[in-house]
Amino acid sequence: MKEGYTATIGLEIHAHLKTKTKMFSRSLNDPFHAGPNANVSPIDMAHPGTLPTINKKAVEHMVRIGLALDADIANFTEFDRKNYFYPDIPKGYQISQLKYPIVSGGKLAGFDLTRIHLEEDTATSKHQSDHSLIDYNRAGTPLMELVTEPVLHSAEDVMKFARELQLLLRYLGAGDANIEKGEMRIEVNISVSKTDKLGLRSEVKNIGSISSAGRATEYEINRQIEVLESGEIPTQQTRGWDEAKGITVFQRNKEDSKDYRYFPEPDLPKLYLHEIFDLEKMRSELPELANQKRERYVADFGLKSEDIEAYIGNLPMALFFEATMKGLDKSNAKAASNYITSDIVGMLKSDDLKDSGIDVWNTLDAKMFAKLITMVDGGDLNSRGAKDILLEMIQNGGDPEIIANDKGLIQENDVEALKAVVQKIIDNNPGQAA
Ligand code: ADP
Ligand code: MG
């Protein structure tokens, strides 16, 4: 970044929550997979006479997310109507939360969070040449919105935060958080300043991946620096990321929350979360989270960070590694991990396996794999033989010892026997030996 400037960044991230049904109705929460307008009910459309009900599972996900982030879980919480007119919002308002978000404070990846509230997603529109089509399958599906404090300072911070949030939602089983599918959406608020006083921010939307979030941040920081350098002051704006051109483009001047005429949703009950949920029990039942796993893998197995990150991003592979280690000594951890993260992962991409559809982390027998590692460690197999056997085990299962015997791959380990063989070779080939 140009000398003398500081970039300040705050994120707003929306993420779908995993539930059977929508946030306020019994329509299926299946926003992408069904044909258009299959999962729509009169409640989703706010037809007269219908009343919404709160999906408890969605609230529970929020509470668990808050607990995992060491945040405050509100006791009192309520929903609000956020009023605006747009074809993708069939009710004329979105049910959201303004004053009393379920989660406040907390930290992720070292960055302070402001809040996380619960709301419903909108419909999706497809624009044709002379008309638009609207699919309401997504309308009313549960959505969390997380807001950070303006405490990030670079494209790297943005990408790191987004990755860690993705991991958190997946580890908690709260959401799949695939940005490419629209299950997680990142908006980056960026300002640049030469002084202690923060500049006016622009909010960048339409970001389609974590790396795009990084590129958009980089671009926007430089754009604002150029504006300042030209003697002008950046104004508060909403901008869109143009992936093809690699630039942000002006969309509109930013709306204020007063434009939305928020008021408490009269058709839903207020919630007293500390009475509904046993927070201490829920806290004690949280699964191991990414950072805890990182620390444990260092302490228990002494793995290198590259391997650890591979496991952090691939839970089934991590579980396979852990199952393997149940049958092995810690001293074999690095070797086992190397076979997993490099040999097996490599084999999965090879011609032998790439189209096989084998779900290796669930089908390969970890006990048998541990036995293979023990055989290599004991010198019964060389690494070439071990790889052949491993491929056989991935494709057809089986016991590595039996496969090794069948294929004649057991190595001779008896030093005296080997000496005799070597001596015989030397004796039979005096010329070469000389
Ligand atoms: P809105 O909903 O209008 O976008 P919020 O108050 O929820 O506004 O803030 C949105 C985000 O903007 C937050 O993540 C916050 O940290 C960030 N933000 C606020 N002021 C600045 C600033 N001057 N520079 C960068 N980011 C900012
Ligand atoms: Mg915003």
Side-chain angles (χ1 to χ4, degrees):
M1 197 180 321
K2 201 173 159 62
E3 190 80 29
Y5 289 96
T6 314
T8 301
I9 302 165
L11 299 176
E12 289 164 274
I13 304 186
H14 288 86
H16 281 172
L17 297 176
K18 241 190 210 171
T19 58
K20 276 205 201 75
T21 56
K22 288 189 179 180
M23 189 59 234
F24 302 111
S25 79
R26 288 196 176 166
S27 307
L28 287 182
N29 176 12
D30 184 13
F32 306 118
H33 301 292
N37 295 308
N39 301 320
V40 187
S41 78
I43 291 173
D44 307 328
M45 313 291 282
H47 284 188
T50 61
L51 287 172
T53 47
I54 299 170
N55 184 325
K56 186 171 180 184
K57 187 74 195 174
V59 179
E60 192 185 309
H61 279 317
M62 293 290 287
V63 171
R64 291 176 79 237
I65 292 164
L67 290 170
L69 293 167
D70 257 325
D72 290 328
I73 309 299
N75 183 22
F76 175 83
T77 189
E78 67 179 0
F79 290 92
D80 295 287
R81 286 190 186 179
K82 179 179 181 180
N83 297 279
Y84 65 99
F85 289 97
Y86 204 73
D88 70 8
I89 191 95
K91 303 202 282 236
Y93 57 86
Q94 177 190 31
I95 304 180
S96 180
Q97 299 192 291
L98 183 64
K99 263 197 200 161
Y100 300 100
I102 296 176
V103 177
S104 305
K107 263 185 201 286
L108 178 63
F111 300 109
D112 288 325
L113 310 178
T114 312
R115 55 186 275 154
I116 313 174
H117 69 253
L118 184 54
E119 57 186 33
E120 54 180 338
D121 207 350
T122 59
T124 47
S125 12
K126 292 191 180 69
H127 302 293
Q128 315 284 342
S129 56
D130 61 349
H131 63 284
S132 293
L133 298 170
I134 303 175
D135 178 0
Y136 289 109
N137 283 343
R138 201 182 69 179
T141 55
L143 193 66
M144 59 163 253
E145 178 175 345
L146 176 152
V147 182
T148 75
E149 290 291 291
V151 289
L152 293 80
H153 295 288
S154 65
E156 287 69 42
D157 286 355
V158 169
M159 293 189 285
K160 178 174 179 199
F161 187 95
R163 272 192 224 105
E164 291 300 316
L165 180 61
Q166 224 170 20
L167 290 173
L168 179 78
L169 296 176
R170 291 175 185 167
Y171 278 50
L172 290 173
D176 291 331
N178 293 306
I179 302 181
E180 292 73 8
K181 284 195 193 165
E183 291 164 341
M184 179 163 139
R185 306 196 284 271
I186 307 174
E187 286 153 28
V188 189
N189 292 269
I190 301 164
S191 67
V192 163
S193 172
K194 271 179 143 169
T195 65
D196 289 346
K197 194 166 170 285
L198 294 187
L200 288 178
R201 70 191 149 112
S202 27
E203 179 175 338
V204 183
K205 295 175 180 275
N206 307 343
I207 292 170
S209 69
I210 289 184
S211 58
S212 301
R215 285 196 297 280
T217 303
E218 200 77 49
Y219 178 89
E220 187 56 25
I221 290 172
N222 290 324
R223 187 193 68 80
Q224 291 187 25
I225 290 175
E226 274 175 31
V227 173
L228 287 166
E229 287 281 299
S230 74
E232 290 177 41
I233 291 174
T235 57
Q236 186 147 317
Q237 335 183 315
T238 301
R239 300 179 69 87
W241 172 243
D242 183 328
E243 178 72 40
K245 296 196 180 125
I247 59 172
T248 66
V249 274
F250 176 83
Q251 288 184 333
R252 57 179 180 267
N253 289 314
K254 245 196 88 54
E255 54 286 270
D256 263 335
S257 88
K258 64 178 184 304
D259 298 333
Y260 291 116
R261 298 170 294 112
Y262 278 96
F263 65 87
E265 165 61 63
D267 287 341
L268 289 171
K270 315 291 172 191
L271 300 178
Y272 290 86
L273 297 176
H274 297 196
E275 289 166 29
I276 299 170
F277 296 105
D278 182 343
L279 298 182
E280 280 325 302
K281 181 159 180 282
M282 285 173 78
R283 193 192 300 277
S284 71
E285 287 170 359
L286 288 174
E288 182 179 53
L289 301 172
N291 258 344
Q292 295 163 328
K293 200 181 260 309
R294 286 185 177 107
E295 285 167 18
R296 185 164 65 86
Y297 277 27
V298 173
D300 288 5
F301 308 122
L303 297 184
K304 55 177 194 266
S305 73
E306 208 186 327
D307 279 16
I308 294 179
E309 287 313 307
Y311 292 120
I312 293 294
N314 186 342
L315 261 188
M317 182 167 85
L319 294 178
F320 177 79
F321 170 69
E322 290 178 28
T324 300
M325 289 311 298
K326 291 217 168 80
L328 285 178
D329 187 72
K330 183 183 165 179
S331 62
N332 280 319
K334 282 186 185 137
S337 185
N338 205 37
Y339 271 95
I340 293 172
T341 57
S342 130
D343 296 283
I344 299 184
V345 167
M347 283 179 201
L348 291 175
K349 293 180 196 144
S350 72
D351 289 342
D352 286 321
L353 294 179
K354 69 174 191 287
D355 302 316
S356 70
I358 291 174
D359 181 9
V360 67
W361 311 124
N362 287 309
T363 56
L364 184 58
D365 184 332
K367 266 206 205 97
M368 289 299 151
F369 175 69
K371 186 170 177 184
L372 178 77
I373 300 297
T374 308
M375 289 171 71
V376 176
D377 187 48
D380 297 332
L381 288 173
N382 63 27
S383 71
R384 180 65 260 157
K387 282 178 201 170
D388 289 348
I389 294 168
L390 186 51
L391 179 60
E392 170 71 20
M393 288 167 69
I394 292 173
Q395 287 173 319
N396 302 311
D399 182 324
E401 196 176 345
I402 296 173
I403 300 170
N405 279 317
D406 283 354
K407 295 191 184 238
L409 288 170
I410 295 286
Q411 279 194 147
E412 185 59 76
N413 259 331
D414 179 341
V415 176
E416 291 309 317
L418 284 171
K419 266 189 188 162
V421 172
V422 171
Q423 193 57 52
K424 198 171 155 199
I425 293 169
I426 292 172
D427 293 346
N428 289 343
N429 299 280
Q432 282 87 341

